[in-house]
Amino acid sequence: MSFKVNKKGFYGDFGGAFIPEMLYPNIEELKQNYLKIIKDKVFQKEYHALLKEYAGRPTPLYYAKNLSELYHTNIYLKREDLLHTGAHKMNNTIGQILVAKRLGKKRIIAETGAGQHGVATATVCALMGMQCVVYMGETDIQRQAPNVARMKMLGSEVISVNSGSKTLKDATNEAIRDWISNPEDTYYIIGSVVGPHPYPDMVARLQSVISKEIKTQLMQKRMASSPDYVIACVGGGSNAAGAFYHFLENEKVKLIAVEAAGKGNDSGHSAATSVLGKIGIIHGSMTLLMQSEDGQITEPYSISAGLDYPGIGPLHAHLKATKRAEFVSVTDDEAMQWGLKLARMEGIIPAIESAHAFAVLDRQKFKPTDVVVINLSGRGDKDLNTYIHYFNL
Ligand SMILES: *Cc1c(COP(=O)(O)O)cnc(C)c1O
């Protein structure tokens, strides 16, 4: 079975490029050029030099001794939380800004929900001296004030979006509108494995450095490059796509994708798209999305702003349909408890997004010989306020 995108941009039944005609030239230009650009030797050299010297790769693969003892197995944490700006998002934005430069673009736009992708985009724009405009819902601007300040300090313009629910999907719509109006000089950096083809494939390739390193690091530590399990949280699905990528064709490696169940999948306040979603089109891609009977996108909910996207990337929809990955959903409460547990047991405060992935340890029985890799997608500094309120710290 193949988990690579086909020529038309599909993973099985999912993907494609369902875009307004006005966007066609931009998407076509990217489609014709992205593989040539990212496979080019000079690009690869520049990309990997920046990942290493600027962003801090390779990130450690840390043997979590205390957790391993408690769960009687071998648990490794892939430390994306140690990457510059605090999450895996940098792997993608560094790559895409180099693509934008090679396409001769001068102006960068992006959408952001929690602000992490906005910060990662503003960072690489500062580095490359490019103009940067970030679209963000008014509700998110109020919820994520520190990240708004970071983007402004980095020299980006943050545009407040007041339409719809004033959150991520509305910011995305606004960014697409901007791109339609400025097709010549502007490049749109999408923050996850979502959107029209070729974005999901391009972002997965840029994030695949995560699983490439996991293989090398496991070889050094255990003389075997494949783990038994890889576990990652899924919002749009980019950190999971990166952590799974080089294991997709190796069926011995079990892949577990963890979605946010919010207050519970039956509560009306969830973001578990693989459970609640049906096939439809969102942001240019045919995929699973949460929608009402008449096809209106329903508002997702999670305590972690990075997981409350109403869709999942088409690769993940395909992994779900083919059962190549197991999908698990984890509530706010479980994730918050795991945030505290990881802090107390290993001295690591995780992003609440990442904390969701750890709950699999309570659901699944692992053998003493198993090697379990959890992708720790980001650090928890941005979530301190939420932790403070939740635990009365
Ligand atoms: C943005 C974010 C996520 C969710 O995005 P994916 O594309 O699903 O990876 C998860 N964890 C952290 C720390 C994030 O910043």
Side-chain angles (χ1 to χ4, degrees):
M1 193 175 293
S2 173
F3 299 99
K4 296 257 151 38
V5 79
N6 70 20
K7 284 231 156 52
K8 292 187 170 150
F10 278 83
Y11 301 88
D13 296 332
F14 308 101
F18 299 84
I19 49 171
E21 205 175 317
M22 307 276 284
L23 266 189
Y24 185 79
N26 284 354
I27 295 292
E28 192 58 23
E29 179 185 37
L30 190 59
K31 196 172 105 186
Q32 294 301 335
N33 290 293
Y34 83 106
L35 283 178
K36 241 183 297 177
I37 292 174
I38 66 180
K39 286 181 173 171
D40 176 66
K41 279 209 178 70
V42 180
F43 175 95
Q44 281 293 324
K45 212 171 149 199
E46 199 177 348
Y47 175 57
H48 285 288
L50 282 171
L51 286 181
K52 178 166 181 248
E53 306 289 338
Y54 183 70
R57 298 211 77 90
T59 59
L61 184 71
Y62 164 67
Y63 182 72
K65 184 166 164 287
N66 299 330
L67 271 187
S68 296
E69 273 172 16
L70 185 66
Y71 286 92
H72 306 292
T73 190
N74 303 288
I75 300 168
Y76 288 86
L77 308 184
K78 184 57 174 162
R79 299 290 310 274
E80 295 302 294
D81 61 316
L82 295 177
L83 205 63
H84 182 40
T85 73
H88 65 288
K89 298 258 176 7
M90 251 354 234
N91 302 321
N92 173 40
T93 58
I94 289 179
Q96 282 199 56
I97 199 138
L98 294 178
V99 170
K101 266 178 66 177
R102 278 162 176 75
L103 291 174
K105 305 292 179 175
K106 304 273 179 282
R107 177 175 175 269
I108 299 293
I109 55 172
E111 85 295 339
T112 199
Q116 290 301 105
H117 174 59
V119 168
T121 302
T123 299
V124 295
C125 286
L127 180 69
M128 296 294 171
M130 299 257 245
Q131 188 194 345
C132 181
V133 176
V134 179
Y135 288 90
M136 191 168 183
E138 173 60 31
T139 308
D140 290 332
I141 287 183
Q142 278 163 17
R143 287 194 290 200
Q144 311 289 337
N147 274 342
V148 176
R150 287 164 89 192
M151 286 183 262
K152 288 185 177 163
M153 186 157 175
L154 290 160
S156 286
E157 185 187 351
V158 180
I159 297 186
S160 170
V161 176
N162 281 305
S163 56
S165 54
K166 305 177 186 175
T167 58
L168 178 61
K169 73 172 167 50
D170 314 290
T172 307
N173 290 338
E174 229 29 69
I176 291 172
R177 232 165 262 152
D178 179 314
W179 208 21
I180 291 173
S181 319
N182 301 285
E184 295 292 324
D185 67 336
T186 298
Y187 179 90
Y188 181 13
I189 299 189
I190 292 184
S192 189
V193 284
V194 301
H197 177 66
Y199 278 100
D201 182 50
M202 179 170 61
V203 176
R205 284 171 186 266
L206 294 171
Q207 290 290 358
S208 72
V209 64
I210 299 173
S211 49
K212 191 155 184 232
E213 286 176 11
I214 293 173
K215 283 182 85 163
T216 311
Q217 290 166 322
L218 281 179
M219 190 48 116
Q220 285 161 356
K221 287 172 199 289
R222 305 194 68 96
M223 305 281 281
S225 63
S226 300
D228 296 286
Y229 292 86
V230 181
I231 304 170
C233 67
V234 172
S238 68
N239 87 87
F244 294 169
Y245 196 87
H246 290 283
F247 304 115
L248 285 169
E249 317 287 334
N250 178 357
E251 305 258 350
K252 282 192 205 121
V253 181
K254 296 180 198 75
L255 308 175
I256 303 182
V258 185
E259 292 183 301
K263 295 180 176 155
N265 285 342
D266 301 328
S267 69
H269 302 278
S270 169
T273 305
S274 79
V275 179
L276 301 170
K278 296 200 174 55
I279 193 161
I281 292 171
I282 181 170
H283 300 138
S285 177
M286 172 90 73
T287 189
L288 294 175
L289 71 123
M290 291 167 52
Q291 51 189 309
S292 64
E293 300 253 306
D294 53 359
Q296 291 295 316
I297 294 169
T298 47
E299 202 51 37
Y301 165 82
S302 165
I303 195 166
S304 70
L307 298 185
D308 66 357
Y309 185 66
I312 47 172
L315 167 62
H316 293 286
H318 183 53
L319 293 176
K320 161 85 183 177
T322 58
K323 301 194 164 71
R324 174 65 188 92
E326 182 186 346
F327 281 73
V328 171
S329 36
V330 166
T331 63
D332 286 358
D333 290 331
E334 289 173 280
M336 294 304 281
Q337 291 302 335
W338 261 104
L340 191 63
K341 187 162 170 175
L342 193 66
R344 299 279 161 91
M345 284 194 67
E346 297 286 349
I348 298 170
I349 300 174
I352 301 172
E353 289 85 354
S354 322
H356 284 73
F358 287 80
V360 172
L361 295 174
D362 299 318
R363 306 272 181 95
Q364 189 113 9
K365 189 87 186 97
F366 298 101
K367 294 200 282 275
T369 51
D370 279 342
V371 172
V372 179
V373 175
I374 301 177
N375 198 40
L376 182 47
S377 56
R379 60 175 142 91
D381 305 38
K382 69 182 176 62
D383 297 317
L384 268 190
N385 258 326
T386 312
Y387 283 131
I388 288 167
H389 281 285
Y390 190 90
F391 292 112
N392 264 317
L393 297 172

